[in-house]
Amino acid sequence: MLSREILEAHLRQPFRYYDSVDSTNDLAKHWLRAGAAAGSVVIADEQRKGRGRMGRTWHTPPGVALALSVIMKPTPGHAHQISLLGALAVAELCETLGIAHVGIKWPNDVQIQGKKVSGVLPEAVWENDALLGVVLGIGVNVRVDFDAELSAVATSIEPLVKHKLDRAELIATLLDSIQARLPKLGTDALFKDWKRRLNMLGEPVQVGDTAGIAQDVEPSGALLIQQADGSIQRVLAGDLLMTPPPSR
Ligand code: BT5
């Protein structure tokens, strides 16, 4: 269970805490529609149906992870940078804890030594043609026991800092970092901070059918892949695979 007292003592924004939910993003979207203020946050100890992108499952067992959804009300032109902001704040949290080899795998997986420690899921909420807001869902593994499949690709932060971490304090630090960067939403500075942490630029990658060298990213978050024939493909979303260089 998360400490409600520590959350109350540290959090500056309105929050709703639950021991167990299906998905914090669903509750945050509901709260946003009901008039939640910008910055309000839904936090859960456990998610029974945590969601990843494209209908995938995000694993949040009780007592061992962070699962939160921040309600944001960006100007529509800046909304695309919200997921960058989430990944950046998690990367910074890991760095603040003294963890080495923290990087961001495009678009927004935070990795430590190449293993995923966090994922973000931004979801926009519309009313007719107007953007009501964006819910920024963030999951972070603190001390998760992964099954055989996930343990090959996933990791947690606590084993890397070698002392017990208080999840409520981690949430407070993460939210402060998001709050501090909010004025930079839509700016080149935020984009550059994110880009600097990308761990696959210059490497051979594949996204869907597009394979080549991850050449650059655009402020929109789009990835530019240089294909074998020299042409550049612009990729907006998808799952990135690091591919071995072609054998000669
Ligand atoms: C993500 O999706 O990485 C976005 C995850 C967002 C989770 C947060 S938690 C709070 C909020 N409420 C929600 O319901 N969701 C958000 P994606 O890139 O599609 O990655 C999903 C894939 O990561 C899965 O198919 C697994 O392979 C893997 N995975 C699942 N749980 C994991 C975990 N705890 N740690 C590392 N990898 C995991």
Side-chain angles (χ1 to χ4, degrees), residues 108-229:
N108 286 306
D109 286 357
V110 180
Q111 296 188 326
I112 299 173
Q113 287 178 333
K115 286 186 164 188
K116 180 160 171 169
V117 75
S118 167
V120 303
L121 181 66
E123 292 187 303
V125 177
W126 296 85
E127 194 164 69
N128 303 319
D129 284 348
L131 181 68
L132 276 187
V134 178
V135 161
L136 171 62
I138 303 178
V140 183
N141 303 318
V142 179
R143 45 178 168 274
V144 179
D145 274 331
F146 300 108
D147 60 20
E149 197 183 322
L150 273 184
S151 63
V153 291
T155 191
S156 292
I157 53 180
E158 193 172 80
L160 300 167
V161 297
K162 299 189 177 72
H163 60 87
K164 186 103 178 136
L165 293 172
D166 184 286
R167 289 177 300 137
E169 285 175 9
L170 294 177
I171 288 173
T173 307
L174 190 58
L175 290 173
D176 280 350
S177 156
I178 290 173
Q179 198 62 33
R181 284 185 185 272
L182 259 187
K184 290 192 176 166
L185 201 62
T187 66
D188 205 38
L190 185 89
F191 166 67
K192 282 188 174 145
D193 277 352
W194 170 77
K195 179 175 170 179
R196 190 160 55 80
R197 289 173 170 86
L198 289 176
N199 59 11
M200 26 48 73
L201 289 181
E203 302 290 329
V205 299
Q206 182 164 355
V207 182
D209 291 338
T210 308
I213 303 295
Q215 204 200 40
D216 205 355
V217 279
E218 293 180 343
S220 64
L223 175 66
L224 302 179
I225 298 181
Q226 182 169 38
Q227 297 175 296
D229 64 3

Side-chain angles (χ1 to χ4, degrees), residues 41-89:
V41 56
V42 175
I43 299 164
D45 185 52
E46 172 191 25
Q47 294 188 116
R48 297 179 299 263
K49 293 183 186 163
R51 289 189 280 111
R53 296 174 301 146
M54 296 173 269
R56 287 184 292 233
T57 299
W58 182 258
H59 187 55
T60 316
V64 294
L66 313 183
L68 59 150
S69 299
V70 188
I71 292 168
M72 310 189 112
K73 299 190 178 176
T75 55
H78 295 162
H80 63 278
Q81 276 202 347
I82 282 193
S83 53
L84 278 60
L85 174 66
L88 195 50

Side-chain angles (χ1 to χ4, degrees), residues 1-11 15-19 43-45 63 65-66 143 165-172:
M1 232 65 41
L2 267 153
S3 163
R4 194 184 283 273
E5 288 71 30
I6 296 183
L7 287 173
E8 264 160 17
H10 285 78
L11 265 49
F15 74 92
R16 292 182 177 175
Y17 166 73
Y18 302 88
D19 289 338
I43 299 164
D45 185 52
L66 313 183
R143 45 178 168 274
L165 293 172
D166 184 286
R167 289 177 300 137
E169 285 175 9
L170 294 177
I171 288 173

